[in-house]
Each structure stands twice: as structure tokens, then as C-alpha cells.
Amino acid sequence: MDVLSRPLIDRTLPLLAEGYAWLPNRMRDAPGPVVRTRIMGRPALALRGPEAVRFFYDEQNVHRHRAIPEPVLATLFGHGAVHTLDGPAHRVRKSLFLPLLEPGRITGLAEHVGAAWDDAVPGWARRGSVVLFDEASTVLTTGVHQWAGLPVGDAGAEATARDMIAMVDGFATAGPRHLRARRARARQEERLGRLVRGVRSGEVPAEPDSVLGLVCRHRDADGEPLDEKTAAVELLNVVRPTTAVAWFVAFAAHALHRRPELRTRLADGDPAFTAAFTHEVRRFYPFVPFLAGLAARDLFWRGQWIPAGGLVVLDVYGQNHDESLWGDPYAFRPQRFLERPVGRDELIPQGGGDPAANHRCPGEGMTLGVLEALAGRLARMEYTVPEQNLSIPLNRVPTRPHSGVLLAGVRPAAG
Ligand code: HEM
């Protein structure tokens, strides 16, 4: 029986059980960097590598409309989000996010988040110990709200941060984590929808150039403003992933604990090394497992076929740990980013392709700017890491150090 006519057994359950390791494990057994399988009731073709990235991001090949399952929309992205659009509708909506690539805005965000961290540290010092993941999420929520011109909400920054984290934490599961994520999204869409209504009616002021002002004024490809719910969804598509940088902050602390010799260069603020460190955190640690779209037509890739409507899956975690690209992928080695320029479609923790034209994350510069600001502060701060469970289970999506990284004896940086 040839490979095309062999019935494919649905692999959704192994995927859920193995998490990040599932696709890389399948790839290891395959003759090339491509795997044919079946997930969520559909035939699927999984690929990796810079050329595969260009194939995946070509709209002639892969569409996003109807590709994202309802449980993911109802938690992570929001119904009607930019992630779900194709063609002109996507380009016009994406233009809303392109100002976020401007260096001046990125610096502004890093300053707000850095100031929120500096304000929070004395409070951490007064407590016996803090969970860094939780504290970082509050700092990030505070900073991004101030920067975007948004009030943090009556419930306060801590509760708002918990909702942002819940939306990310619960998208890939069933059960209580998922229900928490749905409730968090409903609450935050309601809050921000009300805010948009207030701005448009003139009751609430908004700086025209702020993210809030841009979203309230934006017109889609049909010339219409976003309805309140969609405006809230897109505001959340800025605030939620910025808060999610807490995952990378916890990973950065994990890396500094395991490799204390890296701390001095980071604390010194050497910009090239700091950038290399943040790239390595995003490459090495597991966050986005893979991305998926629907085949726009019958497709062939490296001799494998996928029918129109089948799933095309980009193996993000696998590519970021591909030996042929990185040599020693399971070593945490920031230096690799100082040794050679890394291609646009090689390092893809936030998607590949061109952020202006494709679905690549428009928040990559923001992520780097914020993570550089916080990783430097972390390296300069005094603390101890008590006995705790720092393991990072690969079968949990999204995963993080089990303890959230408990820090004790925090003392602000001297000077
Ligand atoms: C899209 C990851 C931070 C806003 C994406 C995609 C990934 C990603 C994997 C999908 C790319 C694709 O579908 O091809 C991350 C990670 C982040 C992060 C790991 C760090 C925690 C941010 C930030 C923002 C942001 C700070 C703030 C603006 C978005 C938006 C999209 C997106 C609006 C949809 C783009 C589109 O569909 O055209 N991100 N992101 N992300 N990200 Fe991020």
C-alpha cells in the first residue's frame, strides 16, 4: 500500500498526551522534515525549515479562515481576530498593528514596563518570597495598559493580569483551565467593549495616537469601524500577549539559575549580549508548539500530498530545536546569536515570514524590547532560589517551570 492510500489514524490524542514532543518525535522517525498524519479529524501535513516557512506563509497555499478551532478562538485569540483573516481583509486589519513595530513605541513600552517592575521590587523585598511568573505578569499588565492608554480595570492590575494569563494558559486543554480561560475572555471583552463605547461617545478621553485611539478609529477593508466586541478582541490582542511575556521572564530566570555565569554580562547591560540572550530564551524554551492553517488547494511538499482543506502544520518548537539549523539545539547558548546572522525564517518562536504582509507576530519587537529590559533588571537584582520544582513538563501546553520560579530574599539592585 503506498503512502497516499494508507489510511491515516487520527493522532489528536497522542498530540495532547505528548505536547511539545509530539511533532518532533514524528519528524525524527520520518525520512525528511515532513510528516503526514491526521489531527482533529483532518488529514494533516507537518513541515519545518526556512523553505517550509515560506511555503506555509504563501496565501496561495495556506489560508487561516476557519483554520482555528472554536475553543482556541473563545480563549486565546477572540472571535473575528486578525489571526482568522486572509487576503485584503487581513492586510487592512493588520495595518492596525504595524505602528507597534516602530522603535519609538517599543522603547516607550519597555520604559513603562521597566518602571512598573522598579515600583514593584520594594514590595517583593518586604515579602519573604514571591513567585516571579505571577509578579512579572502584574508588572507587564500594568506597563502595557499605561503605554496603550488603557485603564487597568476596577478589579486592579493583579486580577486583570490573572485573566490575561488564564486566556493563554487554558487554550489547549479541556476542563477547569479551559473554563477559566473562557470566563476570563468574556470578562475582559466586556470591560474593553464598554471602554470603546465610552471613547466613541466622547465620555472617555483617548489620545489619538495611543493603541486605544488607533483601535477605536480603525476601519476594516469594508470601510466600517470595528464593532465594539471586535475592537475589544483586538485591544486584547495587544494586552494579552504582552502580559504573556511573563512566560519568557520565568524562562529567563530559569536560564540564569542553571547558567549563573551568564548573569554578569546581562547585568552589565551589554546590548548585543542582552539581545542574544533574549533570542536564545525564545528559541530554547517551549512556548508555541506549532501553527496551523488550511490547504487552499491540493498541495505537494517534498513529495507529500495534502488535499485542499487539509491541515498544514508548521512545527515551531521542532524548527527551533532542529539540529540542522542550530547544531547543538538542546544547549542554552546565547553566543550562537553573536556567531552568525540568523535568517528571518530560521528563528520562528513568534511565527515566520514578513510581519507586515503575513501573519507573523507584530509584537516581536515589543517582546524583545520588554524582555531585554526585564532580563537585565532580573540579572542585577539580588535574590536566592529556594528548593522548588523547576521542571518544565513538555506534555503541558503552554508549559512553564512548575513552581513559577520562587524567589526569596529579594533586594533591589544596588545604585
Ligand atoms: C501572532 C507568538 C507577543 C500580537 C502571533 C503568532 C505567534 C505569536 C506564534 C502567530 C503567527 C502566525 O499565525 O503565523 C507570540 C509570542 C509572544 C507574542 C510567543 C510573546 C509572549 C506579542 C505581543 C503582541 C502580539 C507583545 C502585541 C502586539 C500578535 C498579533 C498577532 C500575533 C496581533 C496576529 C498577527 C496576524 O494574524 O497577522 N504571535 N507573540 N504578540 N501576535 Fe504575537
Side-chain angles (χ1 to χ4, degrees):
M1 196 185 279
D2 75 19
V3 76
L4 294 186
S5 53
R6 196 185 302 153
L8 290 165
I9 300 166
D10 195 281
R11 298 294 175 192
T12 310
L13 287 178
L15 187 167
L16 292 175
E18 289 176 61
Y20 292 92
W22 174 73
L23 254 186
N25 283 346
R26 300 291 85 69
M27 289 273 182
R28 202 169 303 123
D29 300 337
V34 57
V35 163
R36 251 184 122 238
T37 183
R38 192 171 182 90
I39 35 181
M40 294 182 297
R42 287 176 192 266
L45 194 67
L47 7 125
R48 68 154 76 139
E51 272 178 63
V53 168
R54 291 186 274 281
F55 178 84
F56 179 81
Y57 280 97
D58 183 341
E59 276 194 353
Q60 312 270 351
N61 295 336
V62 179
H63 285 169
R64 300 304 179 90
H65 188 57
R66 299 217 171 90
I68 303 174
E70 196 280 339
V72 180
L73 290 179
T75 53
L76 190 61
F77 298 138
H79 289 274
V82 60
H83 306 72
T84 65
L85 306 175
D86 294 307
H90 175 250
R91 270 186 294 283
V92 176
R93 181 75 66 80
K94 191 72 184 272
S95 68
L96 175 56
F97 295 91
L98 298 184
L100 307 184
L101 300 170
E102 291 163 11
R105 286 198 195 250
I106 293 170
T107 307
L109 174 66
E111 283 170 2
H112 277 289
V113 172
W117 174 285
D118 296 341
D119 287 348
V121 170
W124 305 349
R126 283 192 294 274
R127 283 145 64 187
S129 60
V130 292
V131 174
L132 178 65
F133 179 80
D134 299 342
E135 301 302 329
S137 65
T138 305
V139 161
L140 286 155
T141 290
T142 305
V144 70
H145 275 79
Q146 286 169 353
W147 168 83
L150 298 166
V152 87
D154 295 339
E158 225 176 287
T160 300
R162 265 200 305 277
D163 275 353
M164 300 299 156
I165 295 297
M167 283 181 237
V168 182
D169 200 45
F171 83 92
T173 57
R177 251 164 81 199
H178 188 75
L179 290 179
R180 247 195 319 276
R182 282 183 183 260
R183 282 198 294 268
R185 169 161 290 283
R187 207 163 26 236
Q188 294 301 326
E189 283 186 5
E190 216 276 314
R191 169 175 84 90
L192 293 173
R194 239 185 302 123
L195 180 68
V196 169
R197 198 176 324 141
V199 171
R200 286 179 174 160
S201 70
E203 279 164 45
V204 178
E207 288 292 328
D209 202 33
S210 64
V211 170
L212 176 59
L214 295 175
V215 169
C216 288
R217 268 201 327 277
H218 174 80
R219 284 177 187 271
D220 256 351
D222 59 6
E224 294 296 321
L226 299 177
D227 60 58
E228 280 165 20
K229 184 171 160 27
T230 310
V233 161
E234 299 302 21
L235 284 172
L236 283 176
N237 278 330
V238 175
V239 174
R240 184 203 66 254
T242 308
T243 304
V245 174
W247 264 268
F248 287 146
V249 175
F251 289 141
H254 186 274
L256 286 178
H257 182 60
R258 292 273 189 263
R259 300 282 312 280
E261 73 279 10
L262 300 176
R263 183 177 292 273
T264 313
R265 276 182 86 183
L266 205 55
D268 287 348
D270 168 356
F273 181 77
T274 306
F277 178 87
T278 55
H279 281 317
E280 184 67 342
V281 167
R282 296 186 312 134
R283 183 199 70 80
F284 179 80
Y285 285 99
F287 197 11
V288 174
F290 54 75
L291 294 165
L294 297 182
R297 55 195 167 93
D298 286 7
L299 294 175
F300 284 90
W301 176 251
R302 298 275 161 95
Q304 298 283 1
W305 169 75
I306 186 86
L311 275 175
V312 186
V313 179
L314 183 64
D315 179 16
V316 170
Y317 179 74
Q319 180 165 329
N320 287 337
H321 295 83
D322 184 341
E323 206 177 313
S324 69
L325 285 173
W326 307 104
D328 53 354
Y330 290 98
F332 183 88
R333 208 169 59 76
Q335 195 66 22
R336 72 177 79 246
F337 289 96
L338 301 173
E339 289 164 356
R340 68 169 180 100
V342 169
R344 184 192 74 172
D345 296 330
E346 288 182 67
L347 177 70
I348 57 162
Q350 294 176 240
D354 171 4
N358 311 131
H359 283 274
R360 190 186 191 118
C361 177
E364 216 164 351
M366 293 168 59
T367 304
L368 291 169
V370 163
L371 192 56
E372 286 174 11
L374 297 191
R377 280 171 167 80
L378 186 66
R380 287 188 291 275
M381 196 168 83
E382 280 183 43
Y383 58 83
T384 58
V385 180
E387 195 63 37
Q388 60 192 285
N389 183 355
L390 281 170
S391 65
I392 300 172
L394 283 184
N395 60 356
R396 186 195 200 276
V397 178
T399 189
R400 60 182 189 249
H402 196 273
S403 59
V405 188
L406 188 69
L407 306 182
V410 171
R411 298 251 298 278

